[in-house]
Amino acid sequence: MRRHHPYHHCRVANPLFHNPGNYDTRYSRRIVEKSRVFTLTIKFVKGLFNNQMNKVTIKDIARKLQVSATTVSNALNGKPGVGKAARKRILQLAKEMGYQPNYFAKGLVSRQSYAIALVITNIADPFYPQLALGVQEKANAYGYSTMLFNTNHSIESEKQIIQMLGSKGVDGVILSTVEQDDPNIDLLEDLELPFVLVNRLILNPKKASRIDSVSLDNYGGAYKAAMHLCRMGHTKIAIIAGDMASSTAIMRTQGAKDALAEFGVTVPGEWFVVSGYTKENAFDATRHLLSRKERPTAILAQDDNMALGVREAAFVSGFKIPEDLALVGFNNIGFSSLTGIELTTVGQDQHAMGMAGAEMLIHKLQHSPHPGISSKIVMETELVIRKSCGYHLKTQEQTSPSE
Amino acid sequence: MRRHHPYHHCRVANPLFHNPGNYDTRYSRRIVEKSRVFTLTIKFVKGLFNNQMNKVTIKDIARKLQVSATTVSNALNGKPGVGKAARKRILQLAKEMGYQPNYFAKGLVSRQSYAIALVITNIADPFYPQLALGVQEKANAYGYSTMLFNTNHSIESEKQIIQMLGSKGVDGVILSTVEQDDPNIDLLEDLELPFVLVNRLILNPKKASRIDSVSLDNYGGAYKAAMHLCRMGHTKIAIIAGDMASSTAIMRTQGAKDALAEFGVTVPGEWFVVSGYTKENAFDATRHLLSRKERPTAILAQDDNMALGVREAAFVSGFKIPEDLALVGFNNIGFSSLTGIELTTVGQDQHAMGMAGAEMLIHKLQHSPHPGISSKIVMETELVIRKSCGYHLKTQEQTSPSE
DNA sequence: CCCGATAACTTAAACGTTCAAGTACGCAAT
DNA sequence: ATTGCGTACTTGAACGTTTAAGTTATCGGG
């Protein structure tokens, strides 16, 4: 007996086995292009559509109970000056009538929205969801809600977002800037919008003392990672950076170079590549890197996403990881621990970072005018050694020449 | 020459080579526990800390130009009834003084906040970031901002969020419910908060006709996936579901079972496992499944995360994928295409889904009272065949017995 | 018995905007 | 010259809440 439904003839799309080098972002792109939506609009009858919200206000409650609006307000907010009996009746009736305080009226007089904005480069980067979750959990715990904005690494778009926030009524901003010494920080200061930086650190000494931040010990993390490669005997090491504009990239580069310097290793110019922050960018950069005559034996990618791109490029170019090429990433995103990937990387706790950022901002909002104090949190990193660096194959480590 | 800095003695943490079976979420947990933060508080001098915002208002502008507030308002909003010269002067001065409209006052009278809420189960699930991005991009394009909330699969927490939203002044809600027939949908209706469902579909016919949604063709996707396994000759197939409460899981299960039924295959009770939505849940479930005497030759995981858990469990139990066990996932998250993972899965376009949801909600908000019309969008899926199902090893397919 | 203090309440203004209803004025048609 | 009308503008109320400054009534102490 044959069932009838629309999926009977199941189409097999883009069978990758026809395409053995299967690292392919065009693949996902193809899906995107192909995805169709079909809409069906259903009519139904509904008695009367009541568009205007017949919201119950404080005044409605006051009228019904023959008291003043102020008394109702005080009762609802647990303020003194309301008798026990009256308070009880008011709370009771408010509940019955389904009273919901009007957010706008409240905000208009109190000048507080209990909303904060989280402005990051891109929520689809696996680094950020955990951070966003941390921010949101902590904010919620304090009664704040969180608005999310993505700058897509564009200064211009960041500027627009911040300007918009100025009149959006958020109490404060948690920002992961696009660039080191981002001009939009000045904008935030001009707008007198309280903010903290997250995953970024201001290096400019003129501003640094003024600006709160929760950052990562990127220097130390990269130092440890590079040190590790040196100890494994590598001297031909390439670095693939996302950009050189953010404090993150600057510190990671510095940390790596300082570690290498201790072993007397330097990275030649053509082995220091600034590729952009995506897997695809790193893929292209690595293919190029590996096509030359002189090849590195190890690559430090400044981000796990990029490391995954390096990995794919190595495979496509016919190199094995770690046998032919050692690879170290940064961030310890969820997938780097999977069997077959086992990426050596530098770990941290994005969730805690988000929580710390939110806590810091809200503290600032609530205990506002501690003039002249700024605080910085720097979070520890941890080198997570897996198989992509080949450590499990080695029997003996090099020691630092200086030790 | 020895450089001095705090990272000289670089600690190597948790070397996984001591721990060969390295699938270990305790691993990341350990990092979380270990992550320390160190705070340094820096004092600096700042002239006078001006806490109260000396915001410029419409009245300030009006006073300076000797016109009424209404005229200023009209000029700024591009409304008619303002002379050319006056309009120009007003706009000019507003810019000079850095006028920012007060969001609360505006909202109080217009009853619009131009903010929508996106309520999902968990932003850290790789399914959602792309969706959130889509929502946010579309919302921004219409001048709306997006608030993000996570329910963590808890009905209670979802309820609290929605109740809070009632007085938070959002114009509408995009919701990915925790459960099929979620009681909080009634709550949203009671609060008269416009909403659309995303990644969910209401099956209950009494409510379905009233509720807007953007969902996935989960039935069709699962059907295709199961069909594929059958065509490859599998008859011993297990299904690992996240839950059986959401429409997603219900439809995926139904689709798979219908496809299997066409080949006369049924899934015995102990091979249909409801594990929970995480990689770890699926890992445990699979270990249990594979420890029995009678084992399936293929597993349908209803989610790529879970499929990755299945994969790790298979490796730990000593089985190879796809040789010993075929594996199919669902969602086509970014990492399923990596070399060495190459998960066969069902793809879709989360970004487009988010855009469609936002578009639908905003349309609803702006053309509000079309009484008696609800719309549903069902998005297509696509079977993405990679290596985890063993298709690349096969030479011949089975044909459906009914064909 | 009166005074001052405290508690329970009320009044009215304020927050910054929009909106409905007005006024004033110039200009064209009668 | 009067009417009518459109344009440029003003006035005052309204949105729902909080808050400062009242007004009563009650009570205990001297």
Side-chain angles (χ1 to χ4, degrees):
Chain A
M1 200 193 95
R2 183 149 180 171
R3 304 278 278 275
H4 180 71
H5 50 67
Y7 315 102
H8 192 83
H9 296 289
C10 117
R11 185 166 40 90
V12 171
N14 193 13
L16 272 203
F17 51 92
H18 286 151
N19 173 16
N22 97 19
Y23 177 75
D24 193 354
T25 45
R26 275 166 298 150
Y27 191 71
S28 63
R29 211 163 296 137
R30 250 199 61 194
I31 296 181
V32 172
E33 287 162 11
K34 292 198 79 167
S35 106
R36 295 275 140 54
V37 297
F38 45 99
T39 313
L40 40 148
T41 298
I42 299 173
K43 297 201 178 210
F44 73 101
V45 200
K46 192 179 173 185
L48 277 169
F49 197 81
N50 189 6
N51 189 39
Q52 51 233 42
M53 21 188 157
N54 45 347
K55 284 282 182 193
V56 0
T57 73
I58 271 190
K59 282 184 182 171
D60 297 328
I61 298 177
R63 202 176 314 118
K64 279 216 177 178
L65 291 178
Q66 304 274 42
V67 293
S68 75
T70 302
T71 303
V72 176
S73 171
N74 286 335
L76 291 171
N77 292 313
K79 296 204 174 163
V82 186
K84 270 203 164 182
R87 168 162 275 143
K88 195 176 168 187
R89 280 187 305 149
I90 290 170
L91 290 170
Q92 165 84 21
L93 185 62
K95 196 165 194 178
E96 266 173 28
M97 298 177 73
Y99 168 75
Q100 298 267 103
N102 182 303
Y103 171 74
F104 300 106
K106 243 179 150 127
L108 184 55
V109 28
S110 73
R111 297 173 168 289
Q112 289 226 323
S113 64
Y114 288 96
I116 61 176
L118 174 63
V119 182
I120 58 182
T121 53
N122 185 0
I123 186 70
D125 178 333
F127 179 85
Y128 284 109
Q130 278 291 347
L131 188 146
L133 197 62
V135 166
Q136 212 246 108
E137 283 176 10
K138 186 57 93 176
N140 262 27
Y142 280 100
Y144 283 76
S145 15
T146 310
M147 290 191 164
L148 179 68
F149 299 90
N150 299 288
T151 60
N152 279 310
H153 294 276
S154 149
I155 284 269
E156 184 50 37
S157 139
E158 187 178 62
K159 184 177 168 192
Q160 283 175 8
I161 290 169
I162 290 174
Q163 272 170 341
M164 189 250 285
L165 288 177
S167 55
K168 256 294 181 181
V170 296
D171 291 345
V173 179
I174 297 179
L175 174 66
S176 181
T177 53
V178 172
E179 284 183 9
Q180 171 58 25
D181 222 352
D182 197 311
N184 295 319
I185 288 180
D186 300 334
L187 182 55
L188 278 167
E189 290 185 325
D190 285 352
L191 292 171
E192 294 180 47
L193 213 49
F195 69 96
V196 307
L197 255 41
V198 92
N199 198 31
R200 294 286 186 274
L201 183 66
I202 291 301
L203 303 175
N204 179 342
K206 281 187 187 153
K207 293 186 185 173
S209 60
R210 226 164 44 225
I211 292 172
D212 297 325
S213 63
V214 182
S215 58
L216 207 65
D217 179 16
N218 286 300
Y219 179 93
Y223 183 91
K224 287 184 226 173
M227 205 63 155
H228 179 66
L229 284 177
C230 287
R231 290 218 169 110
M232 313 253 318
H234 289 281
T235 55
K236 297 161 71 179
I237 299 178
I239 295 180
I240 298 195
D243 60 44
M244 280 307 281
S246 67
S247 64
T248 304
I250 294 170
M251 295 307 281
R252 286 183 190 175
T253 303
Q254 195 57 49
K257 288 194 170 167
D258 283 0
L260 297 181
E262 292 199 26
F263 279 82
V265 174
T266 50
V267 177
E270 65 269 26
W271 285 0
F272 179 80
V273 188
V274 177
S275 75
Y277 271 114
T278 67
K279 197 164 70 178
E280 293 73 28
N281 292 149
F283 177 84
D284 295 340
T286 307
R287 289 231 58 178
H288 189 236
L289 209 57
L290 295 179
S291 68
R292 302 238 190 84
K293 212 185 297 175
E294 186 77 1
R295 285 183 291 97
T297 62
I299 294 187
L300 276 168
Q302 289 192 348
D303 173 85
D304 276 4
N305 268 321
M306 287 158 58
L308 294 177
V310 171
R311 180 176 172 273
E312 296 295 334
F315 290 146
V316 169
S317 306
F319 297 103
K320 285 195 173 170
I321 289 177
E323 291 82 355
D324 306 321
L325 187 71
L327 176 61
V328 177
F330 209 117
N331 282 351
N332 194 23
I333 63 175
F335 301 92
S336 46
S337 66
L338 293 174
T339 300
I341 306 227
E342 290 148 312
L343 182 65
T344 293
T345 187
V346 178
Q348 75 235 227
D349 188 351
Q350 293 96 333
H351 189 263
M353 190 152 120
M355 304 239 287
E359 179 105 47
M360 191 185 265
L361 178 63
I362 293 171
H363 181 90
K364 195 170 174 177
L365 295 177
Q366 292 184 339
H367 308 73
S368 171
H370 269 311
I373 293 193
S374 90
S375 48
K376 318 222 183 277
I377 291 180
V378 179
M379 301 191 69
E380 263 187 12
T381 59
E382 182 164 17
L383 182 62
V384 179
I385 297 178
R386 296 199 185 94
K387 292 184 178 167
S388 72
C389 58
Y391 194 59
H392 62 299
L393 305 174
K394 285 270 167 177
T395 50
Q396 213 194 337
E397 287 186 44
Q398 302 286 118
T399 50
S400 167
S402 60
E403 281 177 30
Chain B
M1 198 193 95
R2 182 146 179 174
R3 305 276 279 277
H4 180 72
H5 51 67
Y7 314 104
H8 193 83
H9 295 289
C10 122
R11 184 168 40 90
V12 170
N14 193 12
L16 272 202
F17 50 92
H18 286 150
N19 172 17
N22 97 18
Y23 177 75
D24 193 353
T25 45
R26 275 167 298 149
Y27 191 71
S28 64
R29 210 163 296 137
R30 252 199 60 195
I31 294 180
V32 172
E33 287 161 12
K34 292 198 79 171
S35 104
R36 294 277 139 55
V37 298
F38 45 98
T39 312
L40 40 148
T41 298
I42 298 173
K43 296 203 177 210
F44 73 101
V45 201
K46 192 179 172 185
L48 278 169
F49 196 80
N50 187 6
N51 188 40
Q52 49 234 43
M53 21 188 157
N54 45 347
K55 284 284 182 193
V56 2
T57 75
I58 272 188
K59 282 184 181 170
D60 296 328
I61 299 176
R63 203 175 313 119
K64 279 215 177 179
L65 291 178
Q66 304 275 40
V67 293
S68 74
T70 302
T71 302
V72 176
S73 171
N74 287 335
L76 291 172
N77 293 312
K79 295 204 175 163
V82 185
K84 270 202 165 184
R87 166 161 277 141
K88 197 177 169 187
R89 279 187 305 148
I90 291 170
L91 290 170
Q92 164 85 21
L93 186 60
K95 197 166 193 176
E96 265 172 30
M97 299 178 72
Y99 169 75
Q100 298 267 103
N102 182 302
Y103 171 73
F104 300 107
K106 244 180 147 126
L108 184 56
V109 27
S110 73
R111 294 171 170 290
Q112 289 226 322
S113 64
Y114 289 95
I116 62 176
L118 173 63
V119 181
I120 58 181
T121 53
N122 185 359
I123 186 70
D125 178 333
F127 179 86
Y128 284 110
Q130 278 290 347
L131 188 146
L133 197 62
V135 166
Q136 210 247 109
E137 282 176 9
K138 187 57 93 176
N140 262 28
Y142 280 100
Y144 283 75
S145 12
T146 309
M147 291 190 162
L148 179 69
F149 299 91
N150 299 288
T151 61
N152 279 311
H153 294 275
S154 149
I155 285 268
E156 183 52 36
S157 138
E158 186 178 64
K159 185 177 169 191
Q160 284 174 9
I161 289 167
I162 291 174
Q163 272 169 341
M164 188 250 285
L165 287 177
S167 53
K168 256 294 180 180
V170 296
D171 291 344
V173 179
I174 298 181
L175 174 66
S176 180
T177 52
V178 172
E179 283 184 8
Q180 171 57 26
D181 222 352
D182 197 311
N184 295 319
I185 288 179
D186 300 335
L187 182 54
L188 278 168
E189 290 185 326
D190 285 352
L191 292 170
E192 294 180 47
L193 212 50
F195 68 97
V196 306
L197 255 42
V198 93
N199 197 30
R200 294 285 187 274
L201 182 65
I202 290 301
L203 303 175
N204 179 342
K206 280 186 187 153
K207 292 186 186 174
S209 61
R210 225 163 45 225
I211 292 171
D212 297 325
S213 63
V214 183
S215 58
L216 208 64
D217 178 17
N218 286 300
Y219 179 92
Y223 183 90
K224 286 185 227 173
M227 205 60 154
H228 180 66
L229 284 178
C230 287
R231 289 220 169 108
M232 313 253 318
H234 290 281
T235 54
K236 297 161 72 178
I237 299 177
I239 295 178
I240 298 195
D243 60 45
M244 280 307 280
S246 68
S247 65
T248 303
I250 294 170
M251 296 306 280
R252 286 183 190 176
T253 303
Q254 195 56 49
K257 287 195 170 166
D258 283 0
L260 297 182
E262 289 199 26
F263 278 81
V265 174
T266 51
V267 177
E270 64 269 26
W271 285 1
F272 179 79
V273 188
V274 177
S275 75
Y277 271 114
T278 66
K279 196 165 70 178
E280 292 74 29
N281 293 148
F283 178 84
D284 295 341
T286 306
R287 290 231 58 176
H288 189 236
L289 208 58
L290 294 179
S291 68
R292 302 240 189 82
K293 210 184 300 173
E294 186 77 0
R295 284 183 292 97
T297 62
I299 293 187
L300 275 168
Q302 289 192 348
D303 173 84
D304 276 3
N305 268 321
M306 287 158 58
L308 294 176
V310 171
R311 180 175 172 275
E312 297 295 335
F315 289 146
V316 169
S317 307
F319 297 102
K320 284 193 174 170
I321 290 177
E323 291 82 354
D324 307 322
L325 187 71
L327 175 60
V328 177
F330 209 117
N331 283 351
N332 194 24
I333 62 176
F335 300 93
S336 46
S337 66
L338 293 175
T339 301
I341 307 231
E342 290 148 312
L343 182 65
T344 293
T345 187
V346 178
Q348 74 232 228
D349 188 351
Q350 292 97 332
H351 189 262
M353 190 152 120
M355 304 240 287
E359 179 104 48
M360 191 184 267
L361 178 62
I362 292 171
H363 181 90
K364 195 170 174 177
L365 295 177
Q366 293 185 338
H367 308 74
S368 170
H370 268 312
I373 292 192
S374 91
S375 48
K376 318 222 182 280
I377 290 179
V378 179
M379 300 191 69
E380 262 187 12
T381 60
E382 181 165 17
L383 183 62
V384 180
I385 297 178
R386 295 200 185 94
K387 292 184 178 167
S388 72
C389 58
Y391 194 59
H392 62 298
L393 305 173
K394 285 270 167 177
T395 50
Q396 214 194 335
E397 289 186 42
Q398 302 286 116
T399 50
S400 165
S402 59
E403 279 177 32

